[in-house]
Amino acid sequence: MLFLQNPAFSTLQEHGNEPASSEDSISLSQLKYHLNVLAQDSLKGRGTAQEGARLASRYLVDFYSRDTFSGLEGFELHRQTFTLESKMWEDVKYSLYINEDPDTPAVYQSRIAESVSSNNEPGLFFPLHGGSENVKSPVVFAGFGPGDHSYRIADDSDAGFRDKWVLMFEPSGSGLKRNDSDEFMSRSDMVSKMVNRHGAAGVMFISEKSIEKWEVLYETMKQQLPRPLAIRKPEQRFRHAERPAGTAVSVHPGVAKDILGLDNRQQLDSLRAYWKEPETTAEAEMTGHIFRNHPEINRREIEEENIIAVLPGHDEDASDDAVIISAHYDHLGLGEPDDRNDIVYSGADDNASGTAVIMELARTLAASSHAGNPHDRTLIFLHAAAEEWGLFGARYYAENPIYDLDNTITSINVDMVGAVDERHAGNPDEPYVYVIGGGMVSRELQRMLEETNQSGDQQQIKLDEHYNDPSHPKMLYRRSDQWAFGERGIPFVFFFSGLHDHYHRPSDTAERISWTQLNERAGFIYEFVRNMAQDGDIPRMKNERPDIPSMRSR
């Protein structure tokens, strides 16, 4: 559930609970601290065009303003702002009409932003799934909805649902089961089924919650707006968010009672119990009402910022060479609720994990410099904004670099390094990390990766190259911030721990992080960055990769 505080919450200002560390080695306690702060509900999912991204950028600025960095000769901190344009879903108006006379005023009307209905009651509807389309259609009632074979009616029958709003009881561990499974259908399963298979205009769910609990939930659910539906650079095409199949709203239990012509909540509960019985048959029953979902969508300029920390090199010649170490700090923010009614897309793995890692790399390398062990080359720590919408922050930096790209010798990107994916689930304690780029683009990078893994005191880590192929269908080499530099001919390495079931879902929380794996990966990346930071061979892009678009030798 969403836990909101004053935006100036104590974590951004005091750091009273942060473990102290001045060591020039990776600290697991520091990794845990930063990841937990970035993934907590108070940062609201760090969404582009939402308050959470601004809170996260403030946290990063505060981190790099400490004496560890400000006391380092030549250290620079930049807040690189850039402007995007968005289509913002600002509000949604709901109207319920009597079917016989649709031109009369609505019998019920409410908005999310105003959260007050026309008859001075609390908000009466909130979005559960989709909802950014204008939909006005008759309302039919269908119990727990249609199923297939043993679930009441044939799947290929529209049963009067086409182009109708279907009012139905919300699945809650009862009702219909999935095909050939003992699992009950989820809310999103049912929306997809009604819209895609039966042609419904949308679904209106009746919650099992009491009126009091529904109204408390409403106060949380209304905070999912405003949110962006599409974002672009000025004068370019919009990049749209993934659009859910279909629209679903939650209906105030009192309104559901009135739509169904019932006298009290007890009758609504009795009707729910009746529809749970296996012998009941789902058929569309006209309710005599029309419902309208009317979103308010406006274009708006938004300002985002990259946070960039520069640790200067200390060799007279090699300091002219720069290595970029990047991790995007944004995620998806507040958005569509999951079946647990969680609207905070915490992004613990994606990418609080990578952000925490490069924060700890920067701290450790700065501490090493203070201790008399400086690095030769200049290190640029790029905390990129708006990655989830199309690498906007990294691409803005590449177009407006604070350090000449001709002297930028390598891009090291850290994105999603806190999980154990299905390919490694059978041996979750074996340290591994996916390497994307590296030897695919540069022989020197391949050699440096192998040498790093075979030297030093840290345990060897499996360098998995499963995705390191330009012909892989997921094309991960161009799906994170390293590609902003790779497409300009800069050799790159992308460290990654794999996709999982919680990717881009509210369930991507800190509780699911594998701290042991995260610590092992951070240790290896630290050693690799230290090796890259010393004077030596400069990685060169391979010439013989015409199969990788825009990847060329400089």
Side-chain angles (χ1 to χ4, degrees), residues 26-77:
I26 295 297
S27 164
L28 177 57
S29 61
Q30 291 277 332
L31 289 171
K32 285 184 176 181
Y33 180 81
H34 293 307
L35 191 151
N36 277 303
V37 169
L38 291 163
Q40 67 181 318
D41 283 357
S42 299
L43 263 73
K44 306 178 185 180
R46 311 183 307 280
T48 300
Q50 296 182 332
E51 184 183 12
R54 290 185 285 278
L55 293 174
S57 68
R58 284 173 50 196
Y59 182 69
L60 292 168
V61 168
D62 180 81
F63 172 76
Y64 286 110
S65 298
R66 301 175 186 179
D67 291 344
T68 303
F69 300 103
S70 60
L72 194 64
E73 184 179 355
F75 172 78
E76 299 174 15
L77 176 60

Short mmCIF file of all heavy atoms in Angstrom, two decimals, residues 26-77:
data_model
loop_
_atom_site.label_atom_id
_atom_site.label_comp_id
_atom_site.label_asym_id
_atom_site.label_seq_id
_atom_site.Cartn_x
_atom_site.Cartn_y
_atom_site.Cartn_z
N ILE A 26 33.75 -2.02 -1.15
CA ILE A 26 32.30 -2.04 -1.26
C ILE A 26 31.67 -2.46 0.07
O ILE A 26 32.09 -3.44 0.69
CB ILE A 26 31.86 -3.00 -2.39
CG1 ILE A 26 32.34 -2.49 -3.74
CG2 ILE A 26 30.35 -3.19 -2.38
CD1 ILE A 26 31.75 -1.16 -4.15
N SER A 27 30.65 -1.75 0.49
CA SER A 27 29.96 -2.01 1.75
C SER A 27 28.54 -2.49 1.45
O SER A 27 27.74 -1.76 0.86
CB SER A 27 29.91 -0.74 2.61
OG SER A 27 28.96 -0.86 3.64
N LEU A 28 28.22 -3.71 1.87
CA LEU A 28 26.88 -4.23 1.67
C LEU A 28 25.85 -3.41 2.43
O LEU A 28 24.75 -3.16 1.94
CB LEU A 28 26.80 -5.70 2.10
CG LEU A 28 25.42 -6.36 2.01
CD1 LEU A 28 24.85 -6.29 0.60
CD2 LEU A 28 25.49 -7.81 2.49
N SER A 29 26.21 -2.95 3.62
CA SER A 29 25.26 -2.14 4.40
C SER A 29 24.92 -0.85 3.68
O SER A 29 23.77 -0.38 3.72
CB SER A 29 25.82 -1.85 5.80
OG SER A 29 27.03 -1.12 5.72
N GLN A 30 25.90 -0.25 3.00
CA GLN A 30 25.63 0.96 2.22
C GLN A 30 24.73 0.64 1.02
O GLN A 30 23.81 1.39 0.71
CB GLN A 30 26.94 1.56 1.73
CG GLN A 30 27.81 2.15 2.81
CD GLN A 30 27.40 3.57 3.17
OE1 GLN A 30 26.85 4.29 2.34
NE2 GLN A 30 27.66 3.98 4.39
N LEU A 31 24.99 -0.47 0.34
CA LEU A 31 24.14 -0.88 -0.79
C LEU A 31 22.70 -1.06 -0.32
O LEU A 31 21.75 -0.59 -0.97
CB LEU A 31 24.65 -2.19 -1.40
CG LEU A 31 25.96 -2.14 -2.18
CD1 LEU A 31 26.42 -3.56 -2.51
CD2 LEU A 31 25.79 -1.33 -3.48
N LYS A 32 22.53 -1.76 0.79
CA LYS A 32 21.18 -1.99 1.31
C LYS A 32 20.50 -0.67 1.65
O LYS A 32 19.32 -0.46 1.35
CB LYS A 32 21.25 -2.86 2.56
CG LYS A 32 21.51 -4.33 2.30
CD LYS A 32 21.45 -5.11 3.62
CE LYS A 32 21.60 -6.60 3.37
NZ LYS A 32 21.52 -7.37 4.65
N TYR A 33 21.24 0.22 2.29
CA TYR A 33 20.65 1.48 2.72
C TYR A 33 20.13 2.28 1.53
O TYR A 33 18.97 2.70 1.50
CB TYR A 33 21.66 2.31 3.50
CG TYR A 33 21.09 3.63 3.98
CD1 TYR A 33 20.32 3.69 5.12
CD2 TYR A 33 21.31 4.80 3.26
CE1 TYR A 33 19.77 4.89 5.56
CE2 TYR A 33 20.78 6.00 3.68
CZ TYR A 33 20.00 6.04 4.83
OH TYR A 33 19.46 7.22 5.23
N HIS A 34 20.99 2.48 0.54
CA HIS A 34 20.58 3.31 -0.60
C HIS A 34 19.45 2.65 -1.39
O HIS A 34 18.51 3.32 -1.82
CB HIS A 34 21.78 3.58 -1.50
CG HIS A 34 22.82 4.45 -0.87
ND1 HIS A 34 22.53 5.68 -0.32
CD2 HIS A 34 24.16 4.27 -0.69
CE1 HIS A 34 23.63 6.22 0.17
NE2 HIS A 34 24.63 5.38 -0.04
N LEU A 35 19.54 1.34 -1.60
CA LEU A 35 18.47 0.68 -2.35
C LEU A 35 17.14 0.78 -1.61
O LEU A 35 16.10 1.06 -2.22
CB LEU A 35 18.84 -0.79 -2.60
CG LEU A 35 17.95 -1.54 -3.60
CD1 LEU A 35 18.75 -2.65 -4.29
CD2 LEU A 35 16.72 -2.14 -2.96
N ASN A 36 17.17 0.57 -0.30
CA ASN A 36 15.92 0.65 0.46
C ASN A 36 15.33 2.04 0.46
O ASN A 36 14.10 2.21 0.39
CB ASN A 36 16.16 0.17 1.91
CG ASN A 36 16.12 -1.34 2.02
OD1 ASN A 36 15.13 -1.97 1.67
ND2 ASN A 36 17.19 -1.93 2.51
N VAL A 37 16.18 3.06 0.53
CA VAL A 37 15.66 4.43 0.45
C VAL A 37 15.01 4.68 -0.91
O VAL A 37 13.89 5.17 -1.01
CB VAL A 37 16.78 5.46 0.71
CG1 VAL A 37 16.30 6.87 0.35
CG2 VAL A 37 17.23 5.42 2.16
N LEU A 38 15.71 4.33 -1.97
CA LEU A 38 15.21 4.61 -3.32
C LEU A 38 13.95 3.83 -3.64
O LEU A 38 13.11 4.29 -4.43
CB LEU A 38 16.30 4.31 -4.34
CG LEU A 38 17.50 5.26 -4.32
CD1 LEU A 38 18.68 4.65 -5.05
CD2 LEU A 38 17.13 6.61 -4.93
N ALA A 39 13.80 2.62 -3.06
CA ALA A 39 12.65 1.77 -3.38
C ALA A 39 11.51 1.91 -2.40
O ALA A 39 10.47 1.27 -2.57
CB ALA A 39 13.09 0.31 -3.46
N GLN A 40 11.65 2.75 -1.37
CA GLN A 40 10.56 2.86 -0.40
C GLN A 40 9.39 3.63 -1.00
O GLN A 40 9.53 4.41 -1.94
CB GLN A 40 11.06 3.53 0.87
CG GLN A 40 11.45 5.00 0.73
CD GLN A 40 11.96 5.57 2.03
OE1 GLN A 40 11.40 5.31 3.09
NE2 GLN A 40 13.04 6.35 1.96
N ASP A 41 8.22 3.38 -0.45
CA ASP A 41 7.00 3.99 -0.99
C ASP A 41 7.03 5.51 -0.94
O ASP A 41 6.38 6.18 -1.75
CB ASP A 41 5.78 3.49 -0.22
CG ASP A 41 5.37 2.08 -0.62
OD1 ASP A 41 6.00 1.53 -1.54
OD2 ASP A 41 4.42 1.52 -0.03
N SER A 42 7.79 6.08 -0.02
CA SER A 42 7.85 7.54 0.09
C SER A 42 8.42 8.19 -1.17
O SER A 42 8.16 9.36 -1.42
CB SER A 42 8.71 7.94 1.29
OG SER A 42 8.14 7.46 2.49
N LEU A 43 9.20 7.46 -1.95
CA LEU A 43 9.72 8.01 -3.20
C LEU A 43 8.79 7.73 -4.38
O LEU A 43 9.12 8.05 -5.52
CB LEU A 43 11.14 7.49 -3.49
CG LEU A 43 12.22 8.49 -3.03
CD1 LEU A 43 12.33 8.51 -1.53
CD2 LEU A 43 13.56 8.20 -3.67
N LYS A 44 7.65 7.12 -4.13
CA LYS A 44 6.54 7.05 -5.07
C LYS A 44 6.93 6.48 -6.42
O LYS A 44 6.39 6.86 -7.46
CB LYS A 44 5.93 8.44 -5.25
CG LYS A 44 5.53 9.11 -3.95
CD LYS A 44 4.96 10.50 -4.16
CE LYS A 44 4.67 11.17 -2.83
NZ LYS A 44 4.12 12.53 -3.01
N GLY A 45 7.88 5.56 -6.43
CA GLY A 45 8.23 4.88 -7.67
C GLY A 45 9.13 5.67 -8.60
O GLY A 45 9.40 5.21 -9.72
N ARG A 46 9.56 6.87 -8.20
CA ARG A 46 10.54 7.66 -8.98
C ARG A 46 10.11 7.86 -10.43
O ARG A 46 10.91 7.79 -11.35
CB ARG A 46 11.93 6.98 -8.92
CG ARG A 46 12.39 6.60 -7.53
CD ARG A 46 13.79 6.01 -7.50
NE ARG A 46 13.98 4.90 -8.42
CZ ARG A 46 13.59 3.65 -8.19
NH1 ARG A 46 12.96 3.34 -7.07
NH2 ARG A 46 13.83 2.70 -9.08
N GLY A 47 8.83 8.13 -10.64
CA GLY A 47 8.30 8.21 -11.99
C GLY A 47 8.63 9.50 -12.71
O GLY A 47 8.53 10.59 -12.14
N THR A 48 8.99 9.39 -13.98
CA THR A 48 9.19 10.57 -14.83
C THR A 48 7.89 11.38 -14.87
O THR A 48 6.80 10.82 -14.97
CB THR A 48 9.57 10.13 -16.25
OG1 THR A 48 10.77 9.37 -16.19
CG2 THR A 48 9.77 11.32 -17.17
N ALA A 49 8.02 12.68 -14.76
CA ALA A 49 6.89 13.62 -14.76
C ALA A 49 6.07 13.52 -13.48
O ALA A 49 4.98 14.09 -13.40
CB ALA A 49 5.98 13.42 -15.98
N GLN A 50 6.58 12.81 -12.48
CA GLN A 50 5.90 12.71 -11.20
C GLN A 50 6.85 13.16 -10.09
O GLN A 50 8.05 13.30 -10.28
CB GLN A 50 5.43 11.28 -10.95
CG GLN A 50 4.38 10.80 -11.93
CD GLN A 50 3.89 9.40 -11.63
OE1 GLN A 50 4.60 8.57 -11.06
NE2 GLN A 50 2.66 9.11 -12.02
N GLU A 51 6.27 13.37 -8.91
CA GLU A 51 7.06 13.90 -7.80
C GLU A 51 8.20 12.97 -7.39
O GLU A 51 9.26 13.41 -6.95
CB GLU A 51 6.15 14.16 -6.60
CG GLU A 51 6.87 14.80 -5.43
CD GLU A 51 5.99 14.98 -4.22
OE1 GLU A 51 4.88 14.41 -4.19
OE2 GLU A 51 6.42 15.68 -3.28
N GLY A 52 7.99 11.65 -7.56
CA GLY A 52 8.99 10.70 -7.10
C GLY A 52 10.36 10.88 -7.74
O GLY A 52 11.39 10.72 -7.08
N ALA A 53 10.40 11.22 -9.03
CA ALA A 53 11.69 11.43 -9.70
C ALA A 53 12.41 12.63 -9.10
O ALA A 53 13.64 12.62 -8.94
CB ALA A 53 11.48 11.61 -11.20
N ARG A 54 11.68 13.66 -8.74
CA ARG A 54 12.31 14.84 -8.14
C ARG A 54 12.85 14.52 -6.74
O ARG A 54 13.91 15.01 -6.34
CB ARG A 54 11.31 16.00 -8.09
CG ARG A 54 10.99 16.57 -9.47
CD ARG A 54 10.09 17.78 -9.40
NE ARG A 54 8.72 17.41 -9.11
CZ ARG A 54 7.84 16.99 -10.02
NH1 ARG A 54 8.22 16.85 -11.27
NH2 ARG A 54 6.60 16.70 -9.68
N LEU A 55 12.11 13.71 -5.99
CA LEU A 55 12.61 13.30 -4.68
C LEU A 55 13.89 12.49 -4.82
O LEU A 55 14.84 12.66 -4.04
CB LEU A 55 11.54 12.48 -3.96
CG LEU A 55 10.26 13.22 -3.55
CD1 LEU A 55 9.25 12.23 -2.98
CD2 LEU A 55 10.56 14.31 -2.54
N ALA A 56 13.93 11.59 -5.82
CA ALA A 56 15.12 10.77 -6.02
C ALA A 56 16.32 11.63 -6.43
O ALA A 56 17.45 11.41 -5.96
CB ALA A 56 14.85 9.70 -7.07
N SER A 57 16.10 12.61 -7.30
CA SER A 57 17.22 13.45 -7.73
C SER A 57 17.75 14.27 -6.56
O SER A 57 18.97 14.48 -6.43
CB SER A 57 16.80 14.36 -8.89
OG SER A 57 15.87 15.35 -8.47
N ARG A 58 16.86 14.71 -5.67
CA ARG A 58 17.31 15.43 -4.48
C ARG A 58 18.17 14.54 -3.59
O ARG A 58 19.15 14.98 -3.00
CB ARG A 58 16.10 15.94 -3.69
CG ARG A 58 15.42 17.15 -4.30
CD ARG A 58 14.14 17.48 -3.58
NE ARG A 58 14.32 17.56 -2.15
CZ ARG A 58 13.31 17.54 -1.26
NH1 ARG A 58 12.07 17.43 -1.71
NH2 ARG A 58 13.56 17.62 0.02
N TYR A 59 17.77 13.28 -3.49
CA TYR A 59 18.54 12.34 -2.67
C TYR A 59 19.94 12.16 -3.24
O TYR A 59 20.93 12.12 -2.50
CB TYR A 59 17.80 11.00 -2.62
CG TYR A 59 18.48 9.96 -1.77
CD1 TYR A 59 18.54 10.10 -0.39
CD2 TYR A 59 19.08 8.85 -2.34
CE1 TYR A 59 19.16 9.15 0.41
CE2 TYR A 59 19.71 7.89 -1.56
CZ TYR A 59 19.74 8.04 -0.18
OH TYR A 59 20.37 7.10 0.59
N LEU A 60 20.05 12.08 -4.56
CA LEU A 60 21.35 11.91 -5.20
C LEU A 60 22.21 13.16 -5.02
O LEU A 60 23.41 13.07 -4.74
CB LEU A 60 21.17 11.60 -6.68
CG LEU A 60 20.56 10.23 -6.99
CD1 LEU A 60 20.14 10.14 -8.46
CD2 LEU A 60 21.55 9.12 -6.66
N VAL A 61 21.61 14.32 -5.19
CA VAL A 61 22.37 15.57 -5.01
C VAL A 61 22.88 15.67 -3.58
O VAL A 61 24.04 16.05 -3.33
CB VAL A 61 21.49 16.79 -5.37
CG1 VAL A 61 22.15 18.09 -4.91
CG2 VAL A 61 21.23 16.83 -6.87
N ASP A 62 22.02 15.31 -2.63
CA ASP A 62 22.44 15.33 -1.22
C ASP A 62 23.62 14.39 -1.00
O ASP A 62 24.58 14.73 -0.30
CB ASP A 62 21.26 14.93 -0.34
CG ASP A 62 21.60 14.92 1.13
OD1 ASP A 62 21.58 15.99 1.74
OD2 ASP A 62 21.90 13.83 1.67
N PHE A 63 23.56 13.20 -1.59
CA PHE A 63 24.63 12.21 -1.45
C PHE A 63 25.95 12.76 -1.97
O PHE A 63 26.99 12.65 -1.30
CB PHE A 63 24.24 10.94 -2.19
CG PHE A 63 25.33 9.90 -2.27
CD1 PHE A 63 25.66 9.12 -1.17
CD2 PHE A 63 26.04 9.71 -3.45
CE1 PHE A 63 26.67 8.17 -1.24
CE2 PHE A 63 27.05 8.75 -3.54
CZ PHE A 63 27.36 7.98 -2.42
N TYR A 64 25.95 13.35 -3.15
CA TYR A 64 27.19 13.83 -3.75
C TYR A 64 27.65 15.18 -3.21
O TYR A 64 28.69 15.68 -3.61
CB TYR A 64 27.04 13.89 -5.27
CG TYR A 64 27.07 12.54 -5.92
CD1 TYR A 64 25.91 11.99 -6.49
CD2 TYR A 64 28.23 11.78 -5.98
CE1 TYR A 64 25.92 10.74 -7.09
CE2 TYR A 64 28.26 10.53 -6.57
CZ TYR A 64 27.10 10.02 -7.13
OH TYR A 64 27.12 8.78 -7.71
N SER A 65 26.87 15.75 -2.30
CA SER A 65 27.27 17.02 -1.69
C SER A 65 28.04 16.81 -0.39
O SER A 65 28.42 17.78 0.28
CB SER A 65 26.02 17.87 -1.40
OG SER A 65 25.35 18.19 -2.61
N ARG A 66 28.30 15.57 -0.03
CA ARG A 66 29.00 15.29 1.22
C ARG A 66 30.49 15.60 1.11
O ARG A 66 31.05 15.71 0.02
CB ARG A 66 28.82 13.82 1.59
CG ARG A 66 27.38 13.42 1.76
CD ARG A 66 27.29 11.94 2.00
NE ARG A 66 25.90 11.51 2.03
CZ ARG A 66 25.53 10.25 2.20
NH1 ARG A 66 26.45 9.32 2.33
NH2 ARG A 66 24.26 9.94 2.22
N ASP A 67 31.14 15.64 2.27
CA ASP A 67 32.57 15.94 2.32
C ASP A 67 33.39 14.90 1.57
O ASP A 67 34.48 15.22 1.06
CB ASP A 67 33.04 16.03 3.77
CG ASP A 67 32.49 17.24 4.49
OD1 ASP A 67 32.00 18.16 3.80
OD2 ASP A 67 32.52 17.26 5.73
N THR A 68 32.89 13.65 1.52
CA THR A 68 33.63 12.60 0.79
C THR A 68 33.94 13.05 -0.62
O THR A 68 35.00 12.75 -1.17
CB THR A 68 32.79 11.31 0.74
OG1 THR A 68 32.48 10.92 2.07
CG2 THR A 68 33.54 10.18 0.04
N PHE A 69 33.01 13.80 -1.21
CA PHE A 69 33.18 14.24 -2.60
C PHE A 69 33.61 15.71 -2.67
O PHE A 69 34.54 16.04 -3.40
CB PHE A 69 31.87 14.05 -3.37
CG PHE A 69 31.42 12.62 -3.41
CD1 PHE A 69 30.40 12.17 -2.60
CD2 PHE A 69 32.04 11.70 -4.25
CE1 PHE A 69 29.98 10.84 -2.63
CE2 PHE A 69 31.64 10.38 -4.29
CZ PHE A 69 30.61 9.95 -3.47
N SER A 70 32.93 16.58 -1.93
CA SER A 70 33.24 18.01 -2.03
C SER A 70 34.66 18.31 -1.57
O SER A 70 35.25 19.29 -2.01
CB SER A 70 32.22 18.83 -1.22
OG SER A 70 32.28 18.46 0.15
N GLY A 71 35.22 17.47 -0.72
CA GLY A 71 36.58 17.67 -0.27
C GLY A 71 37.63 17.09 -1.20
O GLY A 71 38.83 17.16 -0.91
N LEU A 72 37.17 16.54 -2.34
CA LEU A 72 38.08 15.92 -3.31
C LEU A 72 38.44 16.96 -4.37
O LEU A 72 37.57 17.52 -5.03
CB LEU A 72 37.39 14.72 -3.96
CG LEU A 72 38.26 13.74 -4.74
CD1 LEU A 72 39.26 13.05 -3.83
CD2 LEU A 72 37.36 12.71 -5.42
N GLU A 73 39.73 17.24 -4.50
CA GLU A 73 40.17 18.27 -5.44
C GLU A 73 39.72 17.93 -6.86
O GLU A 73 39.93 16.83 -7.36
CB GLU A 73 41.69 18.39 -5.41
CG GLU A 73 42.22 19.52 -6.31
CD GLU A 73 43.73 19.65 -6.24
OE1 GLU A 73 44.36 18.93 -5.43
OE2 GLU A 73 44.27 20.47 -7.00
N GLY A 74 39.07 18.89 -7.51
CA GLY A 74 38.63 18.72 -8.89
C GLY A 74 37.29 18.05 -9.04
O GLY A 74 36.79 17.90 -10.16
N PHE A 75 36.65 17.65 -7.92
CA PHE A 75 35.33 17.00 -8.02
C PHE A 75 34.30 17.98 -8.56
O PHE A 75 34.30 19.15 -8.22
CB PHE A 75 34.90 16.48 -6.65
CG PHE A 75 33.48 15.97 -6.63
CD1 PHE A 75 33.18 14.72 -7.14
CD2 PHE A 75 32.45 16.75 -6.11
CE1 PHE A 75 31.87 14.25 -7.13
CE2 PHE A 75 31.15 16.30 -6.09
CZ PHE A 75 30.86 15.04 -6.61
N GLU A 76 33.40 17.47 -9.41
CA GLU A 76 32.33 18.30 -9.98
C GLU A 76 30.98 17.57 -9.81
O GLU A 76 30.90 16.36 -9.98
CB GLU A 76 32.55 18.55 -11.47
CG GLU A 76 33.84 19.27 -11.81
CD GLU A 76 34.06 19.37 -13.31
OE1 GLU A 76 33.09 19.13 -14.07
OE2 GLU A 76 35.21 19.63 -13.72
N LEU A 77 29.95 18.35 -9.50
CA LEU A 77 28.58 17.85 -9.43
C LEU A 77 27.73 18.70 -10.35
O LEU A 77 27.69 19.92 -10.23
CB LEU A 77 28.05 17.90 -8.00
CG LEU A 77 26.59 17.49 -7.80
CD1 LEU A 77 26.35 16.06 -8.25
CD2 LEU A 77 26.17 17.67 -6.34
#
